[in-house]
Each structure stands twice: as structure tokens, then as C-alpha cells.
Amino acid sequence: MNKIKYVSIVILAILISACDNSASTNQKAQGNEGTKISGINFDDMDPSVKPGDDFNLYVNGGWVKRTEIPADKRRFGSFDKLRDGADADVRAIIEEASAAGAAKGTNEQKVGDLYKSYMDMEKRNALGITPLNARMDDINAISDLKGLSEYFAVAGKYSFNTPLALYVDVDAKIPTAYALHVYQSGIGLPDREYYFKDDDRSVEIRQKYLEHVEKMLTLAGIDNAAEVAKVAVDLETKIAGDQWKKEDNRDSIKRYNKYQIADFKTLLSNLDVDAYLKITGVPDISEIIVNQPSFLEGINSLLLSESLDHWKDYLKWSLVNDMASRLNEAMDQQNFDFYGKTLGGTEKQRPMWQRATAVVSNNLGEVVGEVYVSKHFKPDAKARMVGLVQNLIDAYRDSINNLDWMGEETKQKALAKLAKFTPKIGYPDKWKDYSML
């Protein structure tokens, strides 16, 4: 949810910038006598390319030739450029809040302190791995499957990686109701295929991944880091082996498997489901939608076949991996070296301020968003957009009413569907309350 809020703020900023640019372009697109001319930028095209051979290069070839991908990006386009501008605007808001010395408990104090805490690498280096100590103690204390079940639940509440990912979403077959879902998870590489493809590049990535895990565990002060790394990656590989392939996960019908909790307990008989659901916060849930039942069968077997020590090694790695970019400089850099450079092909990290801005927006998105729109998206701009959308709805209504090929009953259903459309323009009518944070 927080990530979605951040994306929404960035999209809003991009749209505002695009609207500003569009307005400027439209002004330039007037001839001397006020005649409108094309808004196409012909400099971005490459007329030497035949459209039938490569239409993308024909339209964008000029832009491609003169544009260099920045070292901190794996891809680059007009929206990435606009996003950089939006990030700069958001940065100004956050830094203003950070420098304000606001009273404790205010939104400005929360934004400022979070931003400063991320930017303070000197303090982060001094803390080292101590922020992980309490969690590591919890992992070391696991003595049976009940304890493992309880840790899975606690880790899930904090979005730490475990084989089970719970989430709440609309029930696909009852669109008026929400449902609890469980989805396959628990691996450190992007997809199950990374663990099994035998081409040279995949083999190289797996070897570098194992080396990366060992380096990270060493930086985290884990004893016998090489041995722990091998155990963790081996268990990840077994978990990946039970996961569904991408093509199966794209089948929404195949993924819809509603289980009564009693049947869910049978499916995961080696997990203490009651303890797991209680800690998660849904002790009285009566049913759950399982996206990949065979994956849970595999996890159920692994809970018994893998020793507790193996699971604990795996969980230590998962914890370190989840927190790497928020700890000290050495761990942050090693994390980027593998995930950014080796996997993503990105030469260097984004600037520190840009990463800090993302962290604040991900966690306090609507606080930043409220200030952002007050500066960059005035009420009259929102009113214009609301009017534009209303005109579209009116046009759809007229179109439906005048269709000669649609029966009257179908028209009424179409109009009823149209009436349920709820425009959401720019920002909410009621902002989220962060007072309890």
C-alpha cells in the first residue's frame, strides 16, 4: 500500500509536469497567424529507417541516438526524466520539513526525522548491525515448528521474506467482499527460473549470488558465513523448486483456490496455523484463498525434511537481505553491487537524497503528497480535471443511449456500470491521519 502511494505521488507529479510541458508545446505550436501545427517533434524521429522495418526506431531513432542512459538507471525514457524532476520537487518539500525543527508529533517532525535518519550514514555506520540483534535473537531462540511458525508470522507482519506471503484483496468471485490470500514467496533471486536455467549467464548469476550471500553474512557478523550461505541458498533452491512458473501464475482461474481454515490446516499440517494466524492478526478467519496449493504442499514437506538449523540459517540470510539497504554503508554497497550491477546492469546507485526521498514517500506518502499538491496542483487544476472527466462520462452516457446495435436491457446495465465510476483526481478528498504514528 505504501509503495502504491509513492507511485501515485510520482505519477501525479509527472502528469503535472507533462501538462505544463504540453501547455508550453501548444503555445509554440501556433503559426504566425495562429494556425495550429503538428505537436510531433520530428527531431526525435529517424527518417532514414523505413517504418515497416522498425517503426520504433523510425519514430524514436533521433532521440535514441542523442540520449545516453544515466549511470544510475537501467533504463531511461521521457517518464524517467519527468520522474527525476518530480523527485526533486518532493525532495525540496522533505528537506524543508527536515530543517523546520517542528514540534514532536507533527507530520513535519515525522517526515524530517525519517529523512535525516536515512541520510545520516555516519550514525548508520556506527550502529552497524545492532538493529538486527533482537531479530537474530528471535531466530536463534526457535526450538520447534511452533516457534518457526510464530517467527514466520512475525516476519510477515514486517514484510520480511518467508515462504508464505499473506495479503488482503478483493475476492475475485465475490467482488463485494475482501478475502485473505496466501501467495508463494521466500526466494532471494527475482524468479524461480534463476535457480534452474542452465545457460552460462544463469550459472554465473547463481555463483555470484552464493558469493554475495556469503559476503553479506560476513558483514553481518554471522559465524561460518560460507557454510550458512550454502545452506540458505540450497534451501531457497528447494523452495523455488516448489513454486509455480510465471505462465501458471498468470492463470487467475487456476490460482483461485478457496480453502476453509480446517482444510488449510491440513494442507499445512506441519505449520502451527492457529499460532500463525493469531500473530498475523486474523485468528477468527474462516477461509483463505490459496494461490498455489502445490507450493504449500511442498513447503509443508520442507518443514519436516529440513532441520531447524537449516531453517534458521535461511531466516538469518532473509533478514540480512531484507534490511541491507538500511544498515551501514558496506552492506548497502554490497547489496547494490549484486542486485543493481550484477542483476540489473546499473553502474551506480541513485543519489543518496533520492533514495531517502523514496523511503519517506513509501512510509509517509500522504504527508508529502498533501504538501506537494498544495504547491504544484492547485484546487482549480483539480477542478478542471474533474470537469474533464465528467465530460467524458457524459459523452459515454450519450453514446450508450444512442447506440442502435445495443438492446435496451443491455443499455441499462451499461448505464448502471457507468454510474458506479468514481473519479479520483490528483489527491483524496480526505487525507490519511498519521497522528498514531
Side-chain angles (χ1 to χ4, degrees):
M1 185 66 74
N2 286 331
K3 289 183 179 178
I4 293 172
K5 289 174 185 169
Y6 173 55
V7 170
S8 300
I9 292 169
V10 171
I11 289 175
L12 171 61
I14 288 171
L15 290 174
I16 293 167
S17 299
C19 289
D20 290 343
N21 291 339
S22 176
S24 175
T25 301
N26 287 337
Q27 289 174 359
K28 294 177 182 177
Q30 303 290 329
N32 292 333
E33 299 179 0
T35 303
K36 290 184 177 180
I37 61 176
S38 170
I40 296 173
N41 187 343
F42 291 99
D43 290 338
D44 287 347
M45 301 177 68
D46 185 354
S48 68
V49 178
K50 293 182 179 180
D53 292 343
D54 191 326
F55 191 72
N56 178 52
L57 277 183
Y58 169 70
V59 174
N60 300 307
W63 185 88
V64 170
K65 286 179 180 178
R66 67 173 184 270
T67 302
E68 183 176 340
I69 297 178
D72 64 345
K73 291 179 173 59
R74 67 184 68 181
R75 49 152 286 167
F76 190 64
S78 56
F79 276 88
D80 299 284
K81 187 175 181 180
L82 287 167
R83 175 173 176 169
D84 284 345
D87 281 349
D89 290 337
V90 173
R91 176 192 187 183
I93 291 168
I94 293 173
E95 289 189 339
E96 183 178 332
S98 180
K104 185 172 177 61
T106 62
N107 286 339
E108 290 78 8
Q109 173 261 317
K110 294 167 186 175
V111 167
D113 283 1
L114 180 55
Y115 181 78
K116 285 185 287 189
S117 70
Y118 188 95
M119 293 291 290
D120 190 354
M121 188 56 78
E122 183 178 347
K123 179 68 176 291
R124 287 167 59 178
N125 285 336
L127 287 171
I129 62 166
T130 56
L132 300 185
N133 288 349
R135 297 286 178 204
M136 287 294 183
D137 289 343
D138 291 341
I139 294 172
N140 287 325
I142 296 172
S143 59
D144 53 25
L145 287 177
K146 184 177 188 300
L148 186 63
S149 305
E150 291 171 345
Y151 183 85
F152 278 1
V154 172
K157 290 179 69 173
Y158 289 91
S159 297
F160 295 146
N161 196 22
T162 72
L164 308 179
L166 287 185
Y167 65 98
V168 175
D169 201 358
V170 174
D171 186 322
K173 293 190 177 181
I174 311 176
T176 57
Y178 285 98
L180 185 66
H181 299 67
V182 60
Y183 203 92
Q184 65 184 25
S185 186
I187 58 178
L189 289 172
D191 182 79
R192 73 179 301 279
E193 300 306 319
Y194 280 78
Y195 294 85
F196 304 111
K197 291 172 71 174
D198 57 5
D199 59 280
D200 291 344
R201 173 62 174 158
S202 297
V203 172
E204 179 187 15
I205 286 176
R206 283 197 294 275
Q207 180 58 39
K208 289 188 174 180
Y209 180 56
L210 180 60
E211 294 169 2
H212 164 68
V213 176
E214 180 182 346
K215 289 177 183 177
M216 290 295 290
L217 293 173
T218 300
L219 290 170
I222 302 296
D223 294 334
N224 303 315
E227 181 182 340
V228 174
K230 186 178 185 310
V231 168
V233 173
D234 284 348
L235 183 46
E236 270 191 21
T237 304
K238 293 174 183 177
I239 292 171
D242 289 319
Q243 289 191 348
W244 286 17
K245 296 181 178 180
K246 289 191 292 288
E247 54 267 33
D248 294 318
N249 285 321
R250 290 177 183 140
D251 187 337
S252 57
I253 295 175
K254 188 175 182 179
R255 282 201 342 264
Y256 187 93
N257 306 279
K258 184 174 284 188
Y259 278 70
Q260 297 299 310
I261 288 301
D263 298 326
F264 183 64
K265 290 179 181 178
T266 300
L267 185 64
L268 278 174
S269 58
N270 296 320
L271 186 80
D272 190 330
V273 173
D274 287 330
Y276 181 80
L277 294 177
K278 181 179 180 180
I279 293 172
T280 300
V282 285
D284 300 321
I285 201 78
S286 60
E287 55 191 18
I288 185 171
I289 295 174
V290 177
N291 282 268
Q292 302 93 358
S294 62
F295 171 73
L296 293 194
E297 290 175 357
I299 294 301
N300 196 50
S301 296
L302 285 174
L303 287 171
L304 276 188
S305 63
E306 293 293 315
S307 69
L308 277 178
D309 285 339
H310 284 186
W311 278 108
K312 288 157 78 167
D313 286 346
Y314 160 82
L315 291 173
K316 288 175 183 178
W317 157 238
S318 294
L319 176 63
V320 169
N321 195 30
D322 287 331
M323 299 302 293
S325 64
R326 303 169 196 177
L327 295 168
N328 59 42
E329 192 169 12
M331 298 182 78
D332 179 49
Q333 186 59 47
Q334 175 58 39
N335 181 67
F336 172 77
D337 285 346
F338 178 75
Y339 285 105
K341 288 184 179 179
T342 301
L343 282 185
T346 308
E347 295 179 21
K348 68 176 185 179
Q349 293 212 61
R350 289 182 299 164
M352 190 75 166
W353 70 263
Q354 206 161 17
R355 287 178 277 149
T357 296
V359 168
V360 175
S361 293
N362 285 340
N363 291 280
L364 294 168
E366 288 197 17
V367 172
V368 179
E370 189 170 0
V371 179
Y372 187 96
V373 297
S374 70
K375 291 178 177 290
H376 301 286
F377 197 56
K378 302 296 184 182
D380 61 326
K382 178 171 180 173
R384 289 200 305 274
M385 293 302 101
V386 171
L388 183 150
V389 173
Q390 187 57 52
N391 289 340
L392 288 171
I393 293 173
D394 292 342
Y396 272 119
R397 186 181 299 107
D398 290 343
S399 175
I400 292 169
N401 283 324
N402 293 311
L403 289 174
D404 55 9
W405 54 266
M406 186 179 285
E408 190 59 35
E409 183 180 354
T410 306
K411 285 184 179 181
Q412 293 306 311
K413 290 183 178 180
L415 290 170
K417 185 175 183 179
L418 182 64
K420 293 180 180 179
F421 180 79
T422 303
K424 295 183 178 181
I425 307 296
Y427 54 89
D429 295 326
K430 183 179 179 181
W431 293 94
K432 183 175 181 179
D433 181 8
Y434 288 87
S435 61
M436 295 300 292
L437 178 63

